[in-house]
Amino acid sequence: MNQAHNAPWPVVLTIAGFDPSGGAGVVADIKTFAAHHCYGVSAITALTVQNTLGVAAVYPVAPHILKESIESLFADGQVKALKIGMLGNAGAAEVVRDILDAHPGLPSVLDPVVRSSTEAELLDPAGLAFLREHLLSRVSVVTPNLAEAAALTELPVDNPESMKAAAHKLVERGARAVVVTGGHLDKAIDILFDGKDLETFAGDRIKPDNTHGTGCTFSSAVAANLALGRHLRESVVLAKAFVAEAIRNAFPAGPGRHPLHHFYRIAQIPRTSEHVPASEALP
Ligand code: PLP
């Protein structure tokens, strides 16, 4: 085995909501980290009640519990990158601001979750205002989709030109780097702007109905690649490719939206040993 195989997996922390169906939120994040050879730890902002058909309820976790959870994980001293997902309200966003201030050099990815694809509110208006005012400028990169870019900039964002305008406006508002993801366009175009260079990455739109948890997965894949020491541009390119394959292999886990297959690479390994029939594997 080579050195890379034996190297310890970097620890990546996700601060996000819990989706019990495993398609989005911390479960999707940790699967994504593992698929990138990163060890995931998590602090939960809210419990949601949801299945493939949508979000039925949201129960926020008290900010002091969130704060204690995060501080306890940081006390282990191993966190190499941070992913921030659903926050729910300004109380959680305030906790995150303080954590970012306490760890200024840590690579951090903010997925500014506002609503689910089924239109459930996942961030209240005060939380959105706080995120815009205090979190945008504190993270390494923010990864809004079209609707989130529109909510953050108050501009219509529905084509490549308006995506570029939104990316510029977010940088004007203090963001260090922005990826506007266009998975809902006919051609899945993403725009990366770091305040200097603007790049467009094109991709095919794949199974548009099978998109539960794509935003969570993309931002987590970027965080994992940053934790592995990759530059932002490479992290974004690799994350886009990972999400495309995970969508292509999505599971029919229920009658609604299909969760992505975060372990599509493992799926290439045979499920049972060729030498021991499954029926004989247990005593
Ligand atoms: N539930 C949680 C906890 C989430 O974080 C998100 C999105 O970030 C969703 C649900 C919504 O996922 P989708 O946009 O795929 O509906």
Side-chain angles (χ1 to χ4, degrees), residues 17-19 24-25 48 50 55 86 111 113 116-117 122 211-213 216:
F18 178 63
D19 164 8
T48 70
Q50 68 178 297
V55 180
M86 172 193 169
D111 178 18
V113 176
S116 71
S117 337
L122 300 177
T211 54
H212 181 45
C216 303

Side-chain angles (χ1 to χ4, degrees), residues 71-240:
E71 287 178 351
S72 151
L73 293 167
F74 270 111
D76 275 334
Q78 293 296 325
V79 176
K80 296 289 184 291
L82 173 62
K83 176 252 158 94
I84 303 153
M86 172 193 169
L87 292 172
N89 55 44
E94 280 176 36
V95 169
V96 168
R97 176 201 52 196
D98 295 346
I99 293 298
L100 290 168
D101 282 348
H103 302 275
L106 189 69
S108 51
V109 182
L110 171 63
D111 178 18
V113 176
V114 180
R115 300 183 167 277
S116 71
S117 337
T118 50
E119 292 299 313
E121 183 183 275
L122 300 177
L123 182 63
D124 66 16
L128 178 62
F130 191 94
L131 184 153
R132 194 192 281 135
E133 195 65 25
H134 300 284
L135 299 190
L136 267 189
S137 58
R138 284 177 161 85
V139 293
S140 314
V141 59
V142 57
T143 62
N145 62 23
L146 301 178
E148 291 157 355
L152 287 170
T153 58
E154 288 149 333
L155 296 171
V157 185
D158 50 13
N159 59 40
E161 284 318 304
S162 54
M163 289 165 75
K164 289 178 193 167
H168 275 277
K169 186 152 182 191
L170 290 170
V171 167
E172 276 163 31
R173 288 197 155 174
R176 292 179 219 163
V178 181
V179 185
V180 184
T181 59
H184 295 94
L185 297 172
D186 288 342
K187 275 269 169 205
I189 287 167
D190 292 353
I191 304 285
L192 167 63
F193 183 48
D194 63 5
K196 211 161 71 77
D197 298 315
L198 189 144
E199 272 196 89
T200 303
F201 301 111
D204 288 328
R205 190 174 183 203
I206 316 146
K207 289 196 208 162
D209 296 331
N210 287 348
T211 54
H212 181 45
T214 49
C216 303
T217 302
F218 176 76
S219 51
S220 293
V222 173
N225 281 307
L226 292 175
L228 291 164
R230 298 195 166 108
H231 291 297
L232 178 61
R233 182 185 185 278
E234 189 185 4
S235 298
V236 168
V237 170
L238 291 173
K240 186 170 171 62

Side-chain angles (χ1 to χ4, degrees), residues 2-51:
N2 62 26
Q3 184 59 34
H5 253 87
N6 290 325
W9 289 16
V11 174
V12 186
L13 167 62
T14 172
I15 303 174
F18 178 63
D19 164 8
S21 73
V26 295
V27 178
D29 297 344
I30 287 183
K31 285 190 283 185
T32 303
F33 299 155
H36 286 80
H37 293 195
C38 290
Y39 183 82
V41 293
S42 57
I44 293 182
T45 55
L47 299 177
T48 70
V49 176
Q50 68 178 297
N51 59 19

